Amino acid sequence: MLRLSGAHAGTHHAGPVAGLLAVALLLAGCGSSGSGGSETGSGDPSASGTVTLVTHDSWALDEKLVDRFEQESGLTLEVSAAGDAGTLVNQLVLTQDAPLGDAVFGIDNTFASRALEADVVEEYTPTGLPDGAEQLGGALTPIDQGDVCVNADEAWFEKSDLEVPKTLDDLADPKYRDLLVVTNPATSSPGLAFLLATIGAFGEDGFESYWTSLVDNGVKVADSWEDAYYVDFSGAGEGGERPLALSYATSPAFTVSEDGSESTTSALLETCFRQVEYAGVLTGSDNPEGARELVDFLLTEDVQSALPESMYMYPADPSVQLPADWKKFAPQADAPFEVEPTEVSEHRDEWIERWTETVLG
């Protein structure tokens, strides 16, 4: 059903990384270097070469689009998955003197400052950057966005004759004891996004008390979105036992009934934090021109149009038409919680440490 970076979808923390997964998947094609223009295929089609994209485990793009990129650019695309988005950033920082690839996709706004501070991406601005899509540091290009929110298994609540919660405060209500699973902000970008939502809601001095109330109410913490959603969430159809799970506002668009009339899950739009996922050219890569061409490709209309159904995220280009059922089943939050990027950069590691002490002990 879903992906999620990393959204998703879009995480890191400052501590050591153990057991990092690096899986290289050769997707197909032939080769080239690219010129970095706004249109894919601007490079010499007779040239040859490989461009390696380092990304999170939730990377998914239609192979027809990958094939077209390879045919038009002359490049062979190799994809190396490095765990969740937080693990991805940690891995890039740890290997910055010997980059794992040429381009990166999946650094999100909760960890972008760490990547920029470590200089793991070089400055590059695509000429085809959509209106309203803002780069970070002249190096990270927005590709997609999505609201990280708690999701509810509507069928479970109906069967249990229990009202679906709406707010963050509701989640700490004893009547929802042992029903919620979230992800660890130290290892999961959705987990960090949700931590920031609670900081935006309760403040730097109040979020620990809120999390204490969630712990007292039996919250479960998973290491990754995939574990929380597919292993623990009852609404994913995989046998999970918890009817509340941290996911994305877009997730209910992929749990729609066979007749398309309703979704079996819903997003609690008063619990959200907006996540943006970025792509960039890795500093010191073997093929920076190919990496620039790949970043350009991710902004093309065909790729942006494919993101809702391949990555389950909103495209960075606001002019792209969305799937018809997204207005009904995947609306974005009207007022997601916010934390200033400068505050995230300054306090992220401290906040994660305080969360860890409060929740994990």
Side-chain angles (χ1 to χ4, degrees), residues 12-207:
H12 112 42
H13 91 312
V17 182
L20 294 174
L21 175 65
V23 182
L25 303 174
L26 184 61
L27 295 180
C30 43
S32 157
S33 55
S35 66
S38 62
E39 296 296 330
T40 299
S42 56
D44 178 1
S46 64
S48 63
T50 295
V51 59
T52 299
L53 176 67
V54 185
T55 185
H56 49 52
D57 288 345
S58 298
W59 161 266
L61 195 63
D62 192 311
E63 288 192 11
K64 292 181 180 179
L65 288 172
V66 173
D67 289 343
R68 197 171 84 187
F69 167 73
E70 293 182 324
Q71 291 167 6
E72 294 181 355
S73 69
L75 288 160
T76 296
L77 176 61
E78 186 175 280
V79 178
S80 178
D84 204 327
T87 301
L88 167 66
V89 175
N90 272 333
Q91 183 77 307
L92 294 177
V93 172
L94 291 171
T95 60
Q96 63 186 119
D97 293 332
L100 297 174
D102 305 299
V104 60
F105 166 76
I107 296 174
D108 80 337
N109 53 318
T110 64
F111 285 114
S113 61
R114 176 161 166 77
L116 293 172
E117 290 163 3
D119 195 30
V120 299
V121 283
E122 67 177 41
E123 289 191 11
Y124 174 64
T125 300
T127 56
L129 190 67
D131 291 339
E134 297 184 5
Q135 278 195 306
L136 291 182
L140 290 174
T141 297
I143 303 300
D144 61 33
Q145 62 175 322
D147 289 341
V148 175
C149 319
V150 173
N151 277 213
D153 178 355
E154 293 280 344
W156 187 97
F157 281 95
E158 183 177 355
K159 181 179 179 180
S160 301
D161 195 26
L162 183 62
E163 181 182 8
V164 175
K166 295 181 179 180
T167 67
L168 291 174
D169 284 326
D170 288 345
L171 298 175
D173 189 313
K175 66 183 178 182
Y176 301 114
R177 185 181 302 277
D178 297 331
L179 301 187
L180 174 65
V181 57
V182 299
T183 53
N184 189 327
T187 57
S188 161
S189 58
L192 180 56
F194 187 61
L195 171 58
L196 294 176
T198 65
I199 292 170
F202 302 105
E204 185 178 356
D205 296 328
F207 79 92

Side-chain angles (χ1 to χ4, degrees), residues 322-357:
L322 297 170
D325 59 353
W326 272 43
K327 184 175 182 180
K328 180 177 181 181
F329 298 122
Q332 291 187 292
D334 291 331
F337 292 107
E338 298 179 349
V339 178
E340 287 295 325
T342 54
E343 291 293 302
V344 176
S345 177
E346 183 176 354
H347 298 291
R348 178 188 55 239
D349 296 334
E350 171 203 338
W351 288 339
I352 290 175
E353 289 176 5
R354 288 168 60 184
W355 178 93
T356 301
E357 292 176 2

